[in-house]
Amino acid sequence: MDVWQDLYIKTKDSIDFYFLSDEDFDKQKKFIQKKGWNLPFYELKYSNFESSIKILPTTYIGINGYFYIQHSGSKKDWNSEENIKYILNMK
């Protein structure tokens, strides 16, 4: 998740991030604070996304309310220069 934090810092003025987890929000908040992150986490209780979410955590990246990327798990390095350029050019 440190990769996500770095990406969020670099692009937060241009990109919308939604980090979804089925864990209790208070538990998430403690974990996020312990790590020193400033990421927009949300507790997934019920949403229109449920049918498309197979793995948690799932991250959505969007611009102006439109989702362009859905990523499940934490294996991809979204903080690479190539991926940052790709994300910023989604506009």
Side-chain angles (χ1 to χ4, degrees):
M1 290 300 288
D2 291 332
V3 169
W4 287 112
Q5 178 64 44
D6 293 341
L7 178 62
Y8 179 71
I9 290 169
K10 291 177 184 176
T11 61
K12 68 181 178 182
D13 293 331
S14 303
I15 306 296
D16 303 322
F17 289 85
Y18 304 88
F19 296 92
L20 305 177
S21 175
D22 59 349
E23 292 183 308
D24 177 71
F25 185 75
D26 290 333
K27 184 176 180 179
Q28 291 183 55
K29 188 176 178 179
K30 288 177 188 175
F31 179 75
I32 294 164
Q33 288 173 339
K34 179 180 173 184
K35 292 288 192 175
W37 295 335
N38 184 26
L39 298 170
F41 275 83
Y42 299 91
E43 180 181 356
L44 180 66
K45 290 185 177 183
Y46 174 81
S47 76
N48 294 332
F49 300 116
E50 277 191 61
S51 61
S52 66
I53 295 175
K54 306 292 184 226
I55 299 171
L56 291 171
T58 295
T59 301
Y60 287 89
I61 302 174
I63 300 170
N64 298 324
Y66 294 97
F67 296 118
Y68 293 93
I69 296 173
Q70 174 186 343
H71 179 77
S72 298
S74 59
K75 299 291 183 192
K76 188 171 177 89
D77 181 9
W78 285 104
N79 196 32
S80 71
E81 288 299 317
E82 179 182 343
N83 285 323
I84 290 172
K85 287 178 187 175
Y86 172 77
I87 291 167
L88 291 175
N89 286 322
M90 290 188 304
K91 296 181 186 182

PDB file of all heavy atoms in Angstrom, residues 1 4 7-8 15-21 39-41 53 55-62 67-74 78:
ATOM      1  N   MET A   1       0.820  -1.205   0.000  1.00  0.00           N
ATOM      2  CA  MET A   1       0.000   0.000   0.000  1.00  0.00           C
ATOM      3  C   MET A   1       0.855   1.258   0.000  1.00  0.00           C
ATOM      4  O   MET A   1       0.353   2.323  -0.312  1.00  0.00           O
ATOM      5  CB  MET A   1      -0.946   0.001   1.197  1.00  0.00           C
ATOM      6  CG  MET A   1      -2.060  -1.029   1.116  1.00  0.00           C
ATOM      7  SD  MET A   1      -3.168  -0.878  -0.293  1.00  0.00           S
ATOM      8  CE  MET A   1      -4.095   0.564   0.101  1.00  0.00           C
ATOM      9  N   TRP A   4       0.599   2.845  -3.231  1.00  0.00           N
ATOM     10  CA  TRP A   4      -0.631   3.628  -3.418  1.00  0.00           C
ATOM     11  C   TRP A   4      -0.516   4.991  -2.747  1.00  0.00           C
ATOM     12  O   TRP A   4      -0.972   5.999  -3.275  1.00  0.00           O
ATOM     13  CB  TRP A   4      -1.834   2.879  -2.860  1.00  0.00           C
ATOM     14  CG  TRP A   4      -2.262   1.712  -3.691  1.00  0.00           C
ATOM     15  CD1 TRP A   4      -2.175   0.394  -3.346  1.00  0.00           C
ATOM     16  CD2 TRP A   4      -2.835   1.737  -4.997  1.00  0.00           C
ATOM     17  NE1 TRP A   4      -2.665  -0.387  -4.353  1.00  0.00           N
ATOM     18  CE2 TRP A   4      -3.080   0.411  -5.385  1.00  0.00           C
ATOM     19  CE3 TRP A   4      -3.163   2.767  -5.871  1.00  0.00           C
ATOM     20  CZ2 TRP A   4      -3.640   0.080  -6.605  1.00  0.00           C
ATOM     21  CZ3 TRP A   4      -3.723   2.439  -7.099  1.00  0.00           C
ATOM     22  CH2 TRP A   4      -3.954   1.106  -7.445  1.00  0.00           C
ATOM     23  N   LEU A   7       1.551   7.195  -4.964  1.00  0.00           N
ATOM     24  CA  LEU A   7       0.775   7.574  -6.143  1.00  0.00           C
ATOM     25  C   LEU A   7      -0.293   8.600  -5.774  1.00  0.00           C
ATOM     26  O   LEU A   7      -0.496   9.579  -6.490  1.00  0.00           O
ATOM     27  CB  LEU A   7       0.124   6.337  -6.767  1.00  0.00           C
ATOM     28  CG  LEU A   7      -0.748   6.599  -7.988  1.00  0.00           C
ATOM     29  CD1 LEU A   7       0.065   7.188  -9.130  1.00  0.00           C
ATOM     30  CD2 LEU A   7      -1.420   5.299  -8.424  1.00  0.00           C
ATOM     31  N   TYR A   8      -0.962   8.388  -4.663  1.00  0.00           N
ATOM     32  CA  TYR A   8      -2.001   9.314  -4.208  1.00  0.00           C
ATOM     33  C   TYR A   8      -1.428  10.718  -3.996  1.00  0.00           C
ATOM     34  O   TYR A   8      -2.013  11.708  -4.435  1.00  0.00           O
ATOM     35  CB  TYR A   8      -2.632   8.781  -2.918  1.00  0.00           C
ATOM     36  CG  TYR A   8      -3.690   9.674  -2.345  1.00  0.00           C
ATOM     37  CD1 TYR A   8      -4.925   9.810  -2.970  1.00  0.00           C
ATOM     38  CD2 TYR A   8      -3.466  10.375  -1.170  1.00  0.00           C
ATOM     39  CE1 TYR A   8      -5.907  10.633  -2.439  1.00  0.00           C
ATOM     40  CE2 TYR A   8      -4.446  11.200  -0.629  1.00  0.00           C
ATOM     41  CZ  TYR A   8      -5.659  11.322  -1.273  1.00  0.00           C
ATOM     42  OH  TYR A   8      -6.627  12.142  -0.747  1.00  0.00           O
ATOM     43  N   ILE A  15      -6.756  13.063  -9.772  1.00  0.00           N
ATOM     44  CA  ILE A  15      -7.373  11.744  -9.825  1.00  0.00           C
ATOM     45  C   ILE A  15      -8.159  11.483  -8.547  1.00  0.00           C
ATOM     46  O   ILE A  15      -7.764  11.910  -7.466  1.00  0.00           O
ATOM     47  CB  ILE A  15      -6.284  10.652  -9.964  1.00  0.00           C
ATOM     48  CG1 ILE A  15      -5.367  10.927 -11.158  1.00  0.00           C
ATOM     49  CG2 ILE A  15      -6.880   9.266 -10.049  1.00  0.00           C
ATOM     50  CD1 ILE A  15      -6.038  10.880 -12.494  1.00  0.00           C
ATOM     51  N   ASP A  16      -9.268  10.751  -8.667  1.00  0.00           N
ATOM     52  CA  ASP A  16     -10.058  10.337  -7.514  1.00  0.00           C
ATOM     53  C   ASP A  16      -9.710   8.890  -7.178  1.00  0.00           C
ATOM     54  O   ASP A  16      -9.651   8.039  -8.058  1.00  0.00           O
ATOM     55  CB  ASP A  16     -11.563  10.404  -7.829  1.00  0.00           C
ATOM     56  CG  ASP A  16     -11.995  11.787  -8.269  1.00  0.00           C
ATOM     57  OD1 ASP A  16     -11.488  12.774  -7.712  1.00  0.00           O
ATOM     58  OD2 ASP A  16     -12.838  11.872  -9.179  1.00  0.00           O
ATOM     59  N   PHE A  17      -9.475   8.627  -5.900  1.00  0.00           N
ATOM     60  CA  PHE A  17      -9.162   7.280  -5.438  1.00  0.00           C
ATOM     61  C   PHE A  17     -10.236   6.809  -4.474  1.00  0.00           C
ATOM     62  O   PHE A  17     -10.718   7.587  -3.644  1.00  0.00           O
ATOM     63  CB  PHE A  17      -7.818   7.253  -4.691  1.00  0.00           C
ATOM     64  CG  PHE A  17      -6.629   7.436  -5.578  1.00  0.00           C
ATOM     65  CD1 PHE A  17      -6.195   8.702  -5.916  1.00  0.00           C
ATOM     66  CD2 PHE A  17      -5.939   6.336  -6.056  1.00  0.00           C
ATOM     67  CE1 PHE A  17      -5.090   8.882  -6.732  1.00  0.00           C
ATOM     68  CE2 PHE A  17      -4.827   6.505  -6.865  1.00  0.00           C
ATOM     69  CZ  PHE A  17      -4.405   7.782  -7.203  1.00  0.00           C
ATOM     70  N   TYR A  18     -10.596   5.522  -4.561  1.00  0.00           N
ATOM     71  CA  TYR A  18     -11.555   4.905  -3.658  1.00  0.00           C
ATOM     72  C   TYR A  18     -11.001   3.544  -3.263  1.00  0.00           C
ATOM     73  O   TYR A  18     -10.983   2.621  -4.072  1.00  0.00           O
ATOM     74  CB  TYR A  18     -12.917   4.735  -4.331  1.00  0.00           C
ATOM     75  CG  TYR A  18     -13.470   6.031  -4.852  1.00  0.00           C
ATOM     76  CD1 TYR A  18     -13.164   6.477  -6.125  1.00  0.00           C
ATOM     77  CD2 TYR A  18     -14.287   6.830  -4.055  1.00  0.00           C
ATOM     78  CE1 TYR A  18     -13.655   7.681  -6.602  1.00  0.00           C
ATOM     79  CE2 TYR A  18     -14.779   8.033  -4.520  1.00  0.00           C
ATOM     80  CZ  TYR A  18     -14.461   8.453  -5.795  1.00  0.00           C
ATOM     81  OH  TYR A  18     -14.942   9.637  -6.266  1.00  0.00           O
ATOM     82  N   PHE A  19     -10.525   3.413  -2.044  1.00  0.00           N
ATOM     83  CA  PHE A  19      -9.987   2.158  -1.543  1.00  0.00           C
ATOM     84  C   PHE A  19     -11.085   1.482  -0.732  1.00  0.00           C
ATOM     85  O   PHE A  19     -11.511   2.007   0.298  1.00  0.00           O
ATOM     86  CB  PHE A  19      -8.748   2.409  -0.679  1.00  0.00           C
ATOM     87  CG  PHE A  19      -7.606   3.014  -1.453  1.00  0.00           C
ATOM     88  CD1 PHE A  19      -7.442   4.379  -1.529  1.00  0.00           C
ATOM     89  CD2 PHE A  19      -6.711   2.195  -2.119  1.00  0.00           C
ATOM     90  CE1 PHE A  19      -6.400   4.937  -2.249  1.00  0.00           C
ATOM     91  CE2 PHE A  19      -5.660   2.739  -2.846  1.00  0.00           C
ATOM     92  CZ  PHE A  19      -5.504   4.110  -2.910  1.00  0.00           C
ATOM     93  N   LEU A  20     -11.549   0.331  -1.207  1.00  0.00           N
ATOM     94  CA  LEU A  20     -12.676  -0.357  -0.592  1.00  0.00           C
ATOM     95  C   LEU A  20     -12.218  -1.596   0.164  1.00  0.00           C
ATOM     96  O   LEU A  20     -11.395  -2.361  -0.316  1.00  0.00           O
ATOM     97  CB  LEU A  20     -13.672  -0.790  -1.667  1.00  0.00           C
ATOM     98  CG  LEU A  20     -14.189   0.297  -2.597  1.00  0.00           C
ATOM     99  CD1 LEU A  20     -15.102  -0.314  -3.645  1.00  0.00           C
ATOM    100  CD2 LEU A  20     -14.903   1.375  -1.826  1.00  0.00           C
ATOM    101  N   SER A  21     -12.775  -1.769   1.350  1.00  0.00           N
ATOM    102  CA  SER A  21     -12.483  -2.947   2.160  1.00  0.00           C
ATOM    103  C   SER A  21     -13.748  -3.369   2.882  1.00  0.00           C
ATOM    104  O   SER A  21     -14.618  -2.543   3.165  1.00  0.00           O
ATOM    105  CB  SER A  21     -11.383  -2.632   3.176  1.00  0.00           C
ATOM    106  OG  SER A  21     -11.179  -3.736   4.025  1.00  0.00           O
ATOM    107  N   LEU A  39      -4.914   7.992   2.887  1.00  0.00           N
ATOM    108  CA  LEU A  39      -5.640   7.472   1.738  1.00  0.00           C
ATOM    109  C   LEU A  39      -7.141   7.435   2.020  1.00  0.00           C
ATOM    110  O   LEU A  39      -7.550   7.210   3.151  1.00  0.00           O
ATOM    111  CB  LEU A  39      -5.166   6.045   1.423  1.00  0.00           C
ATOM    112  CG  LEU A  39      -3.696   5.887   1.050  1.00  0.00           C
ATOM    113  CD1 LEU A  39      -3.325   4.406   1.009  1.00  0.00           C
ATOM    114  CD2 LEU A  39      -3.416   6.540  -0.281  1.00  0.00           C
ATOM    115  N   PRO A  40      -7.960   7.643   0.977  1.00  0.00           N
ATOM    116  CA  PRO A  40      -9.414   7.621   1.166  1.00  0.00           C
ATOM    117  C   PRO A  40      -9.979   6.202   1.171  1.00  0.00           C
ATOM    118  O   PRO A  40     -10.366   5.666   0.148  1.00  0.00           O
ATOM    119  CB  PRO A  40      -9.924   8.422  -0.033  1.00  0.00           C
ATOM    120  CG  PRO A  40      -8.882   8.195  -1.087  1.00  0.00           C
ATOM    121  CD  PRO A  40      -7.573   8.064  -0.365  1.00  0.00           C
ATOM    122  N   PHE A  41     -10.003   5.578   2.343  1.00  0.00           N
ATOM    123  CA  PHE A  41     -10.549   4.231   2.507  1.00  0.00           C
ATOM    124  C   PHE A  41     -12.040   4.301   2.800  1.00  0.00           C
ATOM    125  O   PHE A  41     -12.507   5.227   3.451  1.00  0.00           O
ATOM    126  CB  PHE A  41      -9.862   3.511   3.669  1.00  0.00           C
ATOM    127  CG  PHE A  41      -8.583   2.831   3.292  1.00  0.00           C
ATOM    128  CD1 PHE A  41      -7.407   3.534   3.242  1.00  0.00           C
ATOM    129  CD2 PHE A  41      -8.574   1.478   2.990  1.00  0.00           C
ATOM    130  CE1 PHE A  41      -6.223   2.913   2.900  1.00  0.00           C
ATOM    131  CE2 PHE A  41      -7.398   0.844   2.650  1.00  0.00           C
ATOM    132  CZ  PHE A  41      -6.218   1.564   2.605  1.00  0.00           C
ATOM    133  N   ILE A  53     -17.057  -6.817  -7.620  1.00  0.00           N
ATOM    134  CA  ILE A  53     -15.949  -6.976  -6.683  1.00  0.00           C
ATOM    135  C   ILE A  53     -15.843  -8.436  -6.276  1.00  0.00           C
ATOM    136  O   ILE A  53     -16.750  -8.992  -5.680  1.00  0.00           O
ATOM    137  CB  ILE A  53     -16.134  -6.071  -5.443  1.00  0.00           C
ATOM    138  CG1 ILE A  53     -16.083  -4.611  -5.852  1.00  0.00           C
ATOM    139  CG2 ILE A  53     -15.073  -6.375  -4.405  1.00  0.00           C
ATOM    140  CD1 ILE A  53     -16.371  -3.662  -4.718  1.00  0.00           C
ATOM    141  N   ILE A  55     -12.490  -9.596  -5.137  1.00  0.00           N
ATOM    142  CA  ILE A  55     -11.367  -9.640  -4.211  1.00  0.00           C
ATOM    143  C   ILE A  55     -11.288  -8.303  -3.479  1.00  0.00           C
ATOM    144  O   ILE A  55     -11.459  -7.249  -4.088  1.00  0.00           O
ATOM    145  CB  ILE A  55     -10.036  -9.864  -4.964  1.00  0.00           C
ATOM    146  CG1 ILE A  55     -10.059 -11.197  -5.711  1.00  0.00           C
ATOM    147  CG2 ILE A  55      -8.849  -9.793  -4.021  1.00  0.00           C
ATOM    148  CD1 ILE A  55      -8.880 -11.391  -6.644  1.00  0.00           C
ATOM    149  N   LEU A  56     -11.037  -8.364  -2.185  1.00  0.00           N
ATOM    150  CA  LEU A  56     -10.800  -7.151  -1.415  1.00  0.00           C
ATOM    151  C   LEU A  56      -9.383  -7.209  -0.865  1.00  0.00           C
ATOM    152  O   LEU A  56      -8.905  -8.280  -0.521  1.00  0.00           O
ATOM    153  CB  LEU A  56     -11.817  -7.033  -0.273  1.00  0.00           C
ATOM    154  CG  LEU A  56     -13.243  -6.761  -0.727  1.00  0.00           C
ATOM    155  CD1 LEU A  56     -14.194  -6.880   0.454  1.00  0.00           C
ATOM    156  CD2 LEU A  56     -13.374  -5.403  -1.371  1.00  0.00           C
ATOM    157  N   PRO A  57      -8.655  -6.116  -0.805  1.00  0.00           N
ATOM    158  CA  PRO A  57      -9.123  -4.782  -1.140  1.00  0.00           C
ATOM    159  C   PRO A  57      -9.219  -4.579  -2.650  1.00  0.00           C
ATOM    160  O   PRO A  57      -8.490  -5.185  -3.416  1.00  0.00           O
ATOM    161  CB  PRO A  57      -8.049  -3.870  -0.560  1.00  0.00           C
ATOM    162  CG  PRO A  57      -6.811  -4.681  -0.579  1.00  0.00           C
ATOM    163  CD  PRO A  57      -7.262  -6.098  -0.344  1.00  0.00           C
ATOM    164  N   THR A  58     -10.138  -3.733  -3.047  1.00  0.00           N
ATOM    165  CA  THR A  58     -10.300  -3.317  -4.431  1.00  0.00           C
ATOM    166  C   THR A  58     -10.170  -1.806  -4.473  1.00  0.00           C
ATOM    167  O   THR A  58     -10.730  -1.109  -3.629  1.00  0.00           O
ATOM    168  CB  THR A  58     -11.671  -3.742  -4.986  1.00  0.00           C
ATOM    169  OG1 THR A  58     -11.714  -5.173  -5.014  1.00  0.00           O
ATOM    170  CG2 THR A  58     -11.901  -3.207  -6.382  1.00  0.00           C
ATOM    171  N   THR A  59      -9.427  -1.321  -5.447  1.00  0.00           N
ATOM    172  CA  THR A  59      -9.206   0.116  -5.589  1.00  0.00           C
ATOM    173  C   THR A  59      -9.805   0.575  -6.907  1.00  0.00           C
ATOM    174  O   THR A  59      -9.635  -0.073  -7.929  1.00  0.00           O
ATOM    175  CB  THR A  59      -7.693   0.429  -5.573  1.00  0.00           C
ATOM    176  OG1 THR A  59      -7.143  -0.037  -4.347  1.00  0.00           O
ATOM    177  CG2 THR A  59      -7.441   1.921  -5.723  1.00  0.00           C
ATOM    178  N   TYR A  60     -10.506   1.699  -6.854  1.00  0.00           N
ATOM    179  CA  TYR A  60     -11.028   2.332  -8.056  1.00  0.00           C
ATOM    180  C   TYR A  60     -10.299   3.652  -8.252  1.00  0.00           C
ATOM    181  O   TYR A  60     -10.108   4.406  -7.297  1.00  0.00           O
ATOM    182  CB  TYR A  60     -12.530   2.603  -7.927  1.00  0.00           C
ATOM    183  CG  TYR A  60     -13.360   1.357  -8.011  1.00  0.00           C
ATOM    184  CD1 TYR A  60     -13.665   0.626  -6.870  1.00  0.00           C
ATOM    185  CD2 TYR A  60     -13.829   0.903  -9.233  1.00  0.00           C
ATOM    186  CE1 TYR A  60     -14.416  -0.525  -6.956  1.00  0.00           C
ATOM    187  CE2 TYR A  60     -14.589  -0.254  -9.318  1.00  0.00           C
ATOM    188  CZ  TYR A  60     -14.875  -0.954  -8.175  1.00  0.00           C
ATOM    189  OH  TYR A  60     -15.618  -2.102  -8.253  1.00  0.00           O
ATOM    190  N   ILE A  61      -9.898   3.915  -9.485  1.00  0.00           N
ATOM    191  CA  ILE A  61      -9.262   5.182  -9.831  1.00  0.00           C
ATOM    192  C   ILE A  61     -10.143   5.834 -10.876  1.00  0.00           C
ATOM    193  O   ILE A  61     -10.506   5.217 -11.879  1.00  0.00           O
ATOM    194  CB  ILE A  61      -7.842   4.970 -10.392  1.00  0.00           C
ATOM    195  CG1 ILE A  61      -6.975   4.230  -9.371  1.00  0.00           C
ATOM    196  CG2 ILE A  61      -7.214   6.305 -10.776  1.00  0.00           C
ATOM    197  CD1 ILE A  61      -5.613   3.849  -9.885  1.00  0.00           C
ATOM    198  N   GLY A  62     -10.498   7.085 -10.632  1.00  0.00           N
ATOM    199  CA  GLY A  62     -11.385   7.762 -11.554  1.00  0.00           C
ATOM    200  C   GLY A  62     -11.114   9.243 -11.645  1.00  0.00           C
ATOM    201  O   GLY A  62     -10.287   9.795 -10.917  1.00  0.00           O
ATOM    202  N   PHE A  67     -15.187   5.992 -13.272  1.00  0.00           N
ATOM    203  CA  PHE A  67     -14.125   5.053 -12.943  1.00  0.00           C
ATOM    204  C   PHE A  67     -13.464   4.536 -14.212  1.00  0.00           C
ATOM    205  O   PHE A  67     -14.140   4.065 -15.126  1.00  0.00           O
ATOM    206  CB  PHE A  67     -14.662   3.876 -12.130  1.00  0.00           C
ATOM    207  CG  PHE A  67     -15.197   4.296 -10.794  1.00  0.00           C
ATOM    208  CD1 PHE A  67     -16.522   4.111 -10.472  1.00  0.00           C
ATOM    209  CD2 PHE A  67     -14.365   4.905  -9.862  1.00  0.00           C
ATOM    210  CE1 PHE A  67     -17.014   4.502  -9.241  1.00  0.00           C
ATOM    211  CE2 PHE A  67     -14.838   5.300  -8.631  1.00  0.00           C
ATOM    212  CZ  PHE A  67     -16.165   5.096  -8.325  1.00  0.00           C
ATOM    213  N   TYR A  68     -12.143   4.633 -14.245  1.00  0.00           N
ATOM    214  CA  TYR A  68     -11.372   4.172 -15.391  1.00  0.00           C
ATOM    215  C   TYR A  68     -10.565   2.921 -15.094  1.00  0.00           C
ATOM    216  O   TYR A  68     -10.243   2.171 -15.995  1.00  0.00           O
ATOM    217  CB  TYR A  68     -10.424   5.279 -15.874  1.00  0.00           C
ATOM    218  CG  TYR A  68     -11.149   6.452 -16.456  1.00  0.00           C
ATOM    219  CD1 TYR A  68     -11.484   7.543 -15.679  1.00  0.00           C
ATOM    220  CD2 TYR A  68     -11.523   6.460 -17.791  1.00  0.00           C
ATOM    221  CE1 TYR A  68     -12.169   8.624 -16.209  1.00  0.00           C
ATOM    222  CE2 TYR A  68     -12.214   7.541 -18.334  1.00  0.00           C
ATOM    223  CZ  TYR A  68     -12.531   8.617 -17.528  1.00  0.00           C
ATOM    224  OH  TYR A  68     -13.210   9.682 -18.057  1.00  0.00           O
ATOM    225  N   ILE A  69     -10.211   2.728 -13.823  1.00  0.00           N
ATOM    226  CA  ILE A  69      -9.403   1.574 -13.446  1.00  0.00           C
ATOM    227  C   ILE A  69     -10.008   0.930 -12.213  1.00  0.00           C
ATOM    228  O   ILE A  69     -10.366   1.613 -11.271  1.00  0.00           O
ATOM    229  CB  ILE A  69      -7.949   1.990 -13.140  1.00  0.00           C
ATOM    230  CG1 ILE A  69      -7.274   2.552 -14.401  1.00  0.00           C
ATOM    231  CG2 ILE A  69      -7.145   0.806 -12.595  1.00  0.00           C
ATOM    232  CD1 ILE A  69      -5.904   3.140 -14.141  1.00  0.00           C
ATOM    233  N   GLN A  70     -10.123  -0.385 -12.253  1.00  0.00           N
ATOM    234  CA  GLN A  70     -10.482  -1.166 -11.074  1.00  0.00           C
ATOM    235  C   GLN A  70      -9.332  -2.137 -10.864  1.00  0.00           C
ATOM    236  O   GLN A  70      -8.967  -2.883 -11.770  1.00  0.00           O
ATOM    237  CB  GLN A  70     -11.770  -1.939 -11.289  1.00  0.00           C
ATOM    238  CG  GLN A  70     -12.085  -2.873 -10.133  1.00  0.00           C
ATOM    239  CD  GLN A  70     -13.290  -3.765 -10.398  1.00  0.00           C
ATOM    240  OE1 GLN A  70     -14.084  -3.522 -11.276  1.00  0.00           O
ATOM    241  NE2 GLN A  70     -13.395  -4.820  -9.628  1.00  0.00           N
ATOM    242  N   HIS A  71      -8.745  -2.119  -9.675  1.00  0.00           N
ATOM    243  CA  HIS A  71      -7.622  -3.011  -9.374  1.00  0.00           C
ATOM    244  C   HIS A  71      -7.905  -3.753  -8.077  1.00  0.00           C
ATOM    245  O   HIS A  71      -8.217  -3.137  -7.068  1.00  0.00           O
ATOM    246  CB  HIS A  71      -6.322  -2.220  -9.248  1.00  0.00           C
ATOM    247  CG  HIS A  71      -5.151  -3.078  -8.919  1.00  0.00           C
ATOM    248  ND1 HIS A  71      -4.529  -3.862  -9.868  1.00  0.00           N
ATOM    249  CD2 HIS A  71      -4.515  -3.314  -7.754  1.00  0.00           C
ATOM    250  CE1 HIS A  71      -3.548  -4.524  -9.286  1.00  0.00           C
ATOM    251  NE2 HIS A  71      -3.518  -4.217  -8.005  1.00  0.00           N
ATOM    252  N   SER A  72      -7.787  -5.065  -8.131  1.00  0.00           N
ATOM    253  CA  SER A  72      -7.986  -5.893  -6.941  1.00  0.00           C
ATOM    254  C   SER A  72      -6.650  -6.420  -6.463  1.00  0.00           C
ATOM    255  O   SER A  72      -5.812  -6.813  -7.268  1.00  0.00           O
ATOM    256  CB  SER A  72      -8.913  -7.057  -7.257  1.00  0.00           C
ATOM    257  OG  SER A  72     -10.181  -6.574  -7.639  1.00  0.00           O
ATOM    258  N   GLY A  73      -6.462  -6.425  -5.151  1.00  0.00           N
ATOM    259  CA  GLY A  73      -5.204  -6.880  -4.583  1.00  0.00           C
ATOM    260  C   GLY A  73      -4.179  -5.758  -4.550  1.00  0.00           C
ATOM    261  O   GLY A  73      -4.509  -4.595  -4.715  1.00  0.00           O
ATOM    262  N   SER A  74      -2.914  -6.119  -4.360  1.00  0.00           N
ATOM    263  CA  SER A  74      -1.903  -5.068  -4.207  1.00  0.00           C
ATOM    264  C   SER A  74      -0.601  -5.405  -4.918  1.00  0.00           C
ATOM    265  O   SER A  74       0.443  -4.942  -4.529  1.00  0.00           O
ATOM    266  CB  SER A  74      -1.634  -4.843  -2.718  1.00  0.00           C
ATOM    267  OG  SER A  74      -1.182  -6.055  -2.142  1.00  0.00           O
ATOM    268  N   TRP A  78       1.564   0.648  -9.353  1.00  0.00           N
ATOM    269  CA  TRP A  78       0.909   1.781  -9.993  1.00  0.00           C
ATOM    270  C   TRP A  78       1.720   3.056  -9.854  1.00  0.00           C
ATOM    271  O   TRP A  78       1.432   4.050 -10.496  1.00  0.00           O
ATOM    272  CB  TRP A  78      -0.483   1.992  -9.404  1.00  0.00           C
ATOM    273  CG  TRP A  78      -1.453   0.975  -9.887  1.00  0.00           C
ATOM    274  CD1 TRP A  78      -1.923  -0.101  -9.193  1.00  0.00           C
ATOM    275  CD2 TRP A  78      -2.047   0.912 -11.176  1.00  0.00           C
ATOM    276  NE1 TRP A  78      -2.775  -0.833  -9.977  1.00  0.00           N
ATOM    277  CE2 TRP A  78      -2.871  -0.228 -11.200  1.00  0.00           C
ATOM    278  CE3 TRP A  78      -1.960   1.704 -12.315  1.00  0.00           C
ATOM    279  CZ2 TRP A  78      -3.603  -0.591 -12.313  1.00  0.00           C
ATOM    280  CZ3 TRP A  78      -2.692   1.338 -13.429  1.00  0.00           C
ATOM    281  CH2 TRP A  78      -3.505   0.214 -13.429  1.00  0.00           C
TER     282      TRP A  78
END
